[in-house]
């Protein structure tokens, strides 16, 4: 970065801007300038920044700015006590003073070909320039040094487009250049090894002439690097799933973030088989088998934390599709109280799972957070005095404190058969991944009746329906009454982004017409997210659970017959204190944690 020649990046200029913005005091400014040289030298000696690799200390110190010093020292913010100045805040203040646009680049919105198509990696790294998009016939380039006019002019000559520089934090630009150009190199190098046009044999469409082409080996270093990048990128973006989908002409890579799928890359189709083979190799799947679905798992390390990745392959029209679910222990094992339970519901749930025996069911569709609830519950119940055994299909997250068994139907290791056998293993608490048939339901009931606590999942829309689902499976009513303690129905709603949260007002009547009865009149104060770079313009960041806790009381048992009324039983449960999913969602909305749009999207009128 050629900022040493630019007076705007002098230490005095930067301090003046930050003092005027009331981010630091004059005393802090003087202290920063006094310590500047020593900090720069220590940063160079520590080898913190690859940009200065190969330079002498004198050259590196000359190229560093006071911003590097501040990012390292993290001075306290003057106008927000208790907070520290970070790189984003500093660059945003500079952008305001220089009348420039500031951007926090969202990597999900970058086009790989655009980023890497105009300039080389060495040029991008030397001048820290990152092409972001073409707008109104102009090339928008993010950079921490928008006054490097010579380099910008070179980009204009190469691209034949007018360049519009926008200010962006340097660490972000360095990271994105490294990732995008590295990934582009891996893809391009792999593509060169597999050049030549042929018909894709994975495509199930019928062609008259088929010309076999050799697959690129999954051990090729470029493919290894590309797949490693996909995993690293998904961890950075906190994705829950990675989809690799073959299309007619491309290989589509999508990631699910906060419940929504985002297209990340469009790769050349000829690399699809090599990428899939690499993933199969890592997960121990049969590379030669392309006609049948397969399931496997990969264990990886993310910032010194072990992460389980569940791999599923299935043949589709244009080849094999792979979906990888990322089982992050930071997500699966959480403090139960922080999952989203209201105070009253948490007390009810804690009472249910701490009873000496019986069944507690967690219900909801795929992706509603059932695994997180169960694993977090088991961790809370875990101690040296209890034996916890789980039966899963497959094991979602290995935890040393549990005895975990994976279902293997091929050798007759099913939920039901394992449940019968583990009764001889002296268990105290049993977690069954899912009750999906009569055999499993009968075994779970027998385990509960013989003095064990059983936690499991069931696919029903709400809590009351779970009782009738057990009856439909063929469990006699008297056994349901004797074994079932309670049911939890749950959903996940997106949380409002804390960085762009705003107060809004709505009329209670308008909410009521939408189906959200807030039991108030007049104007209601709510919140929503305006949309910012931190949340990719969605207004949401992260998710939280909403719950419906149903203790299975004596009065509900009397109503639980095969010809019983679901509606009547729900009304009785509400008389006894059941708070429905929608009503719990409304309370979450009124607390300012989510929006009314999310509650309408996730919940429904249960009458």
């Amino acid at each position: 970065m050629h900022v040493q020649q630019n007076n705007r990046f002098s230490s005095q200029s930067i301090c003046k801007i930050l003092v005027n913005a009331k981010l630091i005091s004059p005393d802090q400014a003087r202290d920063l300038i006094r310590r500047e040289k020593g900090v720069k030298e220590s940063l160079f000696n520590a080898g913190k920044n690859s940009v200065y690799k190969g330079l002498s200390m004198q050259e590196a110190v000359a190229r560093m700015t006071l911003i590097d010093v501040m990012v390292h020292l993290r001075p306290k913010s003057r106008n927000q006590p208790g907070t520290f100045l970070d790189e984003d805040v500093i660059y945003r203040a500079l952008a305001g003073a220089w009348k420039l646009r500031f951007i926090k680049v969202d990597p999900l919105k970058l086009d790989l070909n655009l980023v890497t198509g105009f300039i080389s990696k060495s040029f991008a790294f030397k001048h820290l320039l990152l092409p972001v998009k073409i707008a109104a016939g102009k090339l928008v380039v993010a950079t921490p040094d928008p006054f490097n006019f010579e380099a910008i002019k070179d980009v204009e000559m190469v691209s034949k487009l007018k360049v519009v520089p926008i200010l962006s934090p340097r660490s972000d630009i360095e990271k994105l250049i490294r990732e995008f150009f590295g990934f582009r190199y891996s893809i391009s190098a792999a593509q060169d090894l597999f050049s030549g046009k042929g018909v894709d044999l994975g495509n199930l469409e019928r062609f008259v002439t088929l010309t076999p082409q050799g697959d690129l080996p999954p051990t090729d270093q470029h493919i290894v690097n590309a797949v490693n990048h996909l995993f690293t990128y998904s961890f950075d973006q906190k994705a829950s799933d990675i989809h690799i989908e073959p299309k007619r002409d491309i290989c589509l890579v999508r990631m699910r973030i906060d419940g929504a799928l985002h297209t990340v890359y469009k790769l050349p189709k000829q690399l699809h088989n090599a990428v899939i083979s690499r993933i199969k190799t890592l997960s121990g799947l049969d590379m030669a088998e392309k006609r049948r679905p397969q399931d496997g798992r990969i264990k990886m390390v993310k910032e010194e934390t072990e992460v389980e990745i569940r791999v599923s392959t299935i043949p589709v029209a244009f080849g094999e599709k792979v979906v990888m679910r990322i089982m992050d222990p930071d997500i699966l094992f959480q403090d139960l109280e922080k999952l989203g339970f209201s105070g009253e519901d948490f007390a009810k749930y804690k009472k249910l799972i701490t009873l000496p025996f019986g069944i507690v069911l967690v219900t909801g569709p795929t992706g509603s957070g059932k695994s997180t609830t169960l694993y977090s519950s088991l961790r809370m119940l875990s101690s040296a005095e209890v034996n916890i055994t789980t039966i899963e299909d497959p094991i979602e997250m290995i935890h040393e404190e549990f005895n975990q068994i994976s279902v293997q139907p091929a050798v007759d290791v099913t939920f039901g058969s394992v449940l019968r056998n583990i009764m001889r293993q002296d268990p105290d608490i049993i977690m069954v991944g899912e009750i999906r048939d009569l055999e499993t339901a009968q075994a779970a009931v027998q385990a509960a009746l013989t003095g064990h606590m059983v936690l499991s999942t069931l696919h029903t829309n709400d809590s009351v329906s779970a009782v009738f689902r057990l009856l439909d499976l063929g469990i006699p009513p008297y056994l349901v009454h004797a074994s079932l303690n309670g049911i939890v129905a749950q959903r996940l709603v997106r949380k409002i982004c804390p960085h762009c949260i705003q107060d809004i007002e709505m009329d209670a009547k308008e909410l009521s017409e939408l189906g959200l009865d807030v039991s108030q009149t007049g104007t209601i104060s709510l919140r929503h997210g305006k949309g910012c770079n931190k949340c990719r313009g969605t207004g949401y960041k992260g998710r939280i659970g909403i719950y419906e806790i149903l203790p299975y009381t004596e009065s509900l048992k009397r109503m639980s017959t095969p010809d019983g009324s679901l509606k009547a039983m729900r009304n009785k449960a509400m008389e006894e204190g059941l708070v429905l999913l929608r009503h719990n969602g409304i309370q979450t909305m009124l607390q300012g944690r989510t929006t009314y749009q999310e509650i309408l999207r996730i919940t429904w009128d249960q009458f």
Side-chain angles (χ1 to χ4, degrees):
M1 202 163 89
H2 301 288
V3 296
Q4 75 276 17
Q5 299 172 355
N6 197 312
N7 191 50
R8 289 185 178 87
F9 280 95
S10 69
S11 302
Q12 289 75 17
S13 296
I14 292 171
C15 282
K16 184 177 180 181
I17 289 171
L18 298 179
V19 169
N20 289 341
K22 294 184 169 51
L23 292 174
I24 60 174
S25 67
D27 288 342
Q28 283 177 300
R30 286 188 286 272
D31 183 60
L32 286 167
I33 292 173
R34 180 179 58 80
R35 300 175 63 184
E36 180 178 6
K37 187 173 184 294
V39 172
K40 286 180 179 180
E41 289 177 353
S42 65
L43 288 173
F44 176 80
N45 290 328
K48 291 286 185 183
N49 202 313
S50 59
V51 172
Y52 306 124
K53 190 175 182 180
L55 299 179
S56 66
M57 178 184 287
Q58 186 177 359
E59 291 172 318
V61 168
R63 291 185 65 175
M64 290 184 199
T65 70
L66 189 68
I67 300 172
D68 298 279
V69 175
M70 296 178 74
V71 169
H72 176 71
L73 293 177
R74 298 180 71 235
K76 291 181 179 179
S77 174
R78 182 184 177 190
N79 61 2
Q80 290 186 334
T83 64
F84 299 90
L85 294 188
D86 60 18
E87 198 176 15
D88 291 358
V89 173
I90 296 167
Y91 274 99
R92 199 180 292 274
L94 296 178
W98 294 333
K99 302 294 189 288
L100 288 171
R101 184 180 161 206
F102 172 86
I103 185 173
K104 182 81 171 170
V105 180
D106 179 2
L108 290 179
K109 293 180 179 177
L110 293 179
D111 184 301
L112 178 66
N113 293 326
L114 176 68
V115 171
T116 60
F118 291 114
I119 55 179
S120 67
K121 180 180 180 181
S122 58
F123 184 89
F125 236 118
K126 181 179 179 181
H127 300 288
L128 294 180
L129 297 170
L130 184 80
V132 174
K133 63 181 177 180
I134 295 176
K138 297 177 181 179
L139 180 63
V140 179
V141 175
T143 175
D145 182 10
F147 307 109
N148 189 356
F149 301 118
E150 186 178 339
I152 290 170
K153 188 175 180 180
D154 289 341
V155 177
E156 289 181 333
M157 290 177 62
V158 172
S159 66
K160 295 181 172 53
L161 293 169
K162 175 71 174 174
V163 170
V164 179
I166 50 178
L167 195 63
S168 192
R170 192 178 75 181
S171 62
D172 288 359
I173 300 302
E174 288 176 9
K175 183 172 184 289
L176 290 169
I177 289 173
R178 191 177 298 111
E179 288 181 351
F180 273 77
F181 279 90
F183 186 61
R184 174 70 182 198
Y185 172 76
S186 298
I187 293 300
S188 297
Q191 195 174 2
D192 288 342
L193 292 175
F194 193 51
S195 58
K197 191 167 178 64
V199 178
D200 178 14
L201 293 176
N203 191 329
L204 297 184
E205 292 184 313
R206 298 295 180 180
F207 287 89
V208 176
T209 305
L210 291 179
T211 305
Q213 296 285 327
D215 280 348
L216 189 68
T219 53
D220 177 78
Q221 191 58 46
H222 306 306
I223 290 297
V224 171
N225 291 339
V227 172
N228 288 348
H229 169 78
L230 291 180
F231 287 125
T232 304
Y233 195 60
S234 66
F235 296 155
D236 287 345
Q237 301 302 317
K238 294 182 170 52
S240 60
D241 300 86
I242 307 171
H243 292 236
I244 301 177
E245 306 173 10
K247 303 300 180 186
R248 189 188 306 278
D249 301 312
I250 60 168
C251 169
L252 193 65
V253 180
R254 300 197 289 170
M255 294 182 185
R256 189 176 296 278
I257 302 168
D258 287 343
L261 276 172
H262 299 263
T263 298
V264 177
Y265 295 122
K266 295 178 181 177
L267 306 182
K269 181 63 183 293
Q270 59 261 49
L271 301 185
H272 177 76
N273 285 343
V275 171
I276 298 300
S277 294
R278 174 60 183 167
I279 292 167
K280 283 184 171 182
T281 301
L282 290 172
S283 54
L285 300 181
D286 183 355
M287 283 195 294
E289 181 55 75
K290 300 177 185 294
R291 299 166 299 172
R292 291 187 303 179
Q294 297 187 69
D295 293 306
R297 63 192 312 112
I298 303 169
K299 183 183 282 289
M300 287 197 166
V301 176
K302 183 197 77 172
E303 296 174 356
E304 300 182 358
T305 302
E306 287 189 353
V307 176
E308 296 272 351
I309 299 173
R310 206 165 69 195
V311 180
S312 170
T313 72
I314 194 165
V316 294
F318 297 108
E320 277 187 288
K321 176 182 176 181
V322 168
V323 175
M324 294 176 282
R325 168 150 291 188
I326 300 168
M327 316 303 295
D328 190 334
D330 293 337
I331 302 297
L332 280 176
F333 297 103
Q334 297 189 44
D335 186 337
L336 266 181
E337 290 187 75
K338 296 178 181 177
L339 291 182
F341 289 103
S342 67
E344 187 178 345
D345 279 346
F346 179 71
K348 287 181 184 177
Y349 181 64
K350 190 174 180 181
K351 182 179 179 181
L352 289 177
I353 62 174
T354 51
L355 289 170
F357 59 86
I359 298 174
V360 176
L361 295 174
V362 180
T363 74
T366 302
S368 59
K370 300 189 298 295
S371 295
T372 296
T373 299
L374 286 176
Y375 272 110
S376 300
S377 301
L378 290 178
R379 193 174 73 165
M380 190 191 84
L381 297 170
S382 177
S383 71
E385 289 79 34
V386 297
N387 174 15
I388 296 177
T389 303
T390 76
I391 311 165
E392 305 172 63
D393 182 23
I395 296 172
E396 296 197 3
M397 174 59 65
I398 294 173
H399 194 280
E400 290 187 359
E401 294 179 19
F402 312 152
N403 300 293
Q404 295 170 282
I405 303 166
S406 180
V407 168
Q408 301 177 64
V411 290
D412 198 33
V413 179
T414 64
F415 281 117
S417 65
V418 174
L419 257 172
R420 288 192 298 272
N421 283 285
I422 64 171
M423 300 305 292
R424 304 186 190 97
Q425 291 285 314
D426 187 30
D428 296 295
I429 299 168
I430 302 169
M431 192 270 272
V432 182
E434 182 185 348
I435 294 178
R436 57 177 68 154
D437 53 36
L438 178 58
E439 180 193 24
T440 309
Q442 287 174 330
V445 166
Q446 290 303 316
L449 292 176
T450 51
H452 304 90
M453 169 56 66
V454 179
L455 303 178
S456 188
T457 69
L458 199 62
H459 284 291
T460 60
N461 286 327
D462 61 5
S463 57
V464 178
S465 300
V467 176
F468 292 96
R469 174 66 179 144
L470 290 176
L471 297 173
D472 288 342
L473 284 173
I475 303 297
Y478 72 92
L479 288 181
V480 175
H481 302 164
S483 60
L484 185 61
N485 289 343
I487 304 141
V488 179
Q490 69 177 82
R491 297 292 187 276
L492 290 177
V493 295
R494 291 181 291 176
K495 293 192 292 185
I496 298 172
C497 173
H499 304 286
C500 61
I501 192 167
Q502 288 184 334
D503 292 325
I504 60 170
E505 292 186 344
M506 285 190 70
D507 191 276
K509 185 179 179 182
E510 185 180 351
L511 287 170
S512 181
E513 289 171 352
L514 290 171
L516 302 178
D517 182 10
V518 295
S519 302
Q520 298 179 38
T521 57
T523 302
I524 306 295
S525 294
L526 301 176
R527 289 181 159 190
H528 79 149
K530 180 183 177 183
C532 65
N533 290 312
K534 299 276 188 182
C535 62
R536 303 180 183 87
T538 62
Y540 300 101
K541 193 171 181 62
R543 291 188 290 176
I544 192 171
I546 56 172
Y547 299 87
E548 187 175 290
I549 313 293
L550 177 69
Y552 194 43
T553 62
E554 290 299 325
S555 56
L556 296 181
K557 291 176 182 179
R558 289 192 292 270
M559 302 176 73
S560 302
T561 60
D563 57 350
S565 166
L566 180 67
K567 184 176 181 180
M569 189 170 170
R570 185 182 290 120
N571 286 334
K572 182 64 177 176
M574 291 178 66
E575 288 177 17
E576 296 181 351
L578 174 68
V579 181
L580 299 178
L581 278 168
R582 171 155 286 190
H583 296 160
N584 253 322
I586 290 171
Q587 291 306 311
T588 304
M589 173 191 76
L590 293 175
Q591 291 164 7
R593 301 162 89 181
T594 191
T595 64
Y596 73 89
Q597 292 96 331
E598 274 294 281
I599 303 306
L600 289 171
R601 183 177 71 88
I602 294 297
T603 67
W604 69 103
D605 190 345
Q606 290 165 262
F607 289 96

